[in-house]
Amino acid sequence: MNGPDAARRPLVLLPSARTGPLRAVGRRVGLAFVLLLMVVAVVYADRGGYRDTGDGRLSLLDAFYYASVTMSTTGYGDITPVGDGARLVNIVFITPVRVLFLIVLVGTTLEVLAERTRDDWRRSRWRARVRDHIVVAGYGTKGRSAIRTLLSTGVPPESIVVVDPDPRVVAEAAEAGFAGVVGDATRSSVLRQASVERAREIVVASARDDTAVLITLTARQLNPHAGIQAAVRESENVPLLRQSGADHVVTSSEAAGRLLGVSTTQPSVGEVIEDLLEQGSGLDLVEREVHPDEVGGPLGAVRAPALAVVRGGRLLPFDDAGCAALEPGDRLIVARSSSRRRGPSGAEEEDVRDGAGQPDGPGERDH
């Protein structure tokens, strides 16, 4: 398809192993040399079936000469197969090898065509299979940090799709192991390329607040059920993001300012908050289901330090009256510590424990 619509069509980049140009060329040269040696060996082994118009005898050098001019389809005719066996070998062996040799010589062009076909097939297969994934709109500082946190909480790289208008940025994301879409995330056609209608979560990490609002509106229109987490710079835009369909909105500039203020007056408190923001080391907050033996008891009786209860979509702080008796289906926000210890092999291993020194239980999710 030609024209401006083709130029604006979003490009999907999938992670793949890259081979250096010198290695690729060296591999082709090596394969061509192996094919040449195979023909030389076959011809020299049946040298009695060939006739040299010069001296009538076929030496090893003549075998190399005949293999070279035959494989390159030059064919001077000064050395010809005269025996039935030699002619049969030329038909069933040397001719197919000659074709393969030519394919190796023009391998660059063929590889480009094959790579395009393979990439189209991989994209079609990926679109058919991808679902319940996480779309990250924006691969800048906020987007990269969000992805690092997702990876530290156990999200596999293949379930993350990056959308960004900069081809170089998306290429970096593909090299890091993520699928990427080059295009403006405010356009529905671009988000459809990322299969946002089948996504589980959508992270809006745009550098501009107005762009974040448009991305949220478009994403919510395409997927009414996905969770949308958005970031803005100014707090005055938070209500607009929520009206656009965002489930959670983070004010990046004011959050950084509050952290600076806390660190100035209470350095230790600021250090704890910063530690909580860095998932996978030190202190972490996790969300887990209430255990059967905890149902009916107060939140303060939970072994790990518990900060809040999620009940029916509402967040109840630890001092809320509803936390006096935990109910089935509640989810708890608890603190845990991640420390490094030496394993049996001497290598460092991560030892993740809750606030009571107990290993993590099932069903926990990092925050």
Side-chain angles (χ1 to χ4, degrees), residues 61-99:
L61 179 60
D62 293 333
F64 270 98
Y65 169 75
Y66 175 78
S68 300
V69 298
T70 301
M71 297 281 285
S72 61
T73 69
T74 305
Y76 293 112
D78 48 351
I79 299 178
T80 57
V82 294
D84 293 340
R87 292 178 176 178
L88 181 62
V89 168
N90 268 263
I91 295 173
V92 301
F93 177 72
I94 295 181
T95 298
V97 171
R98 182 189 301 123
V99 173

Side-chain angles (χ1 to χ4, degrees), residues 1 30 44 102 107-108 170 215 231 258 260 279 320 322 350 357 361:
M1 182 173 62
Y44 189 70
L102 293 176
T108 302
V170 178
I215 294 174
R258 286 193 293 267
L260 286 174
Q279 290 293 135
D320 189 277
E350 187 177 11

Side-chain angles (χ1 to χ4, degrees), residues 11 13 162-175 180-182:
L11 174 64
L13 299 180
V162 173
V163 181
D164 197 279
D166 191 341
R168 295 172 298 179
V169 169
V170 178
E172 292 179 7
E175 291 180 0
V181 178
V182 180

Side-chain angles (χ1 to χ4, degrees), residues 273-294:
I273 296 176
E274 188 175 1
D275 190 5
L276 290 172
L277 293 175
E278 186 69 27
Q279 290 293 135
S281 63
L283 293 175
D284 290 332
L285 292 181
V286 297
E287 178 182 337
R288 67 167 176 85
E289 296 179 356
V290 62
H291 296 161
D293 58 343
E294 297 170 341

Side-chain angles (χ1 to χ4, degrees), residues 293-336:
D293 58 343
E294 297 170 341
V295 174
L299 183 61
V302 176
R303 290 195 305 268
L307 304 180
V309 176
V310 181
R311 178 180 299 161
R314 295 177 57 238
L315 185 66
L316 307 178
F318 68 93
D319 56 352
D320 189 277
C323 297
L326 299 177
E327 300 177 1
D330 285 349
R331 297 190 66 85
L332 311 182
I333 307 298
V334 299
R336 74 175 185 184

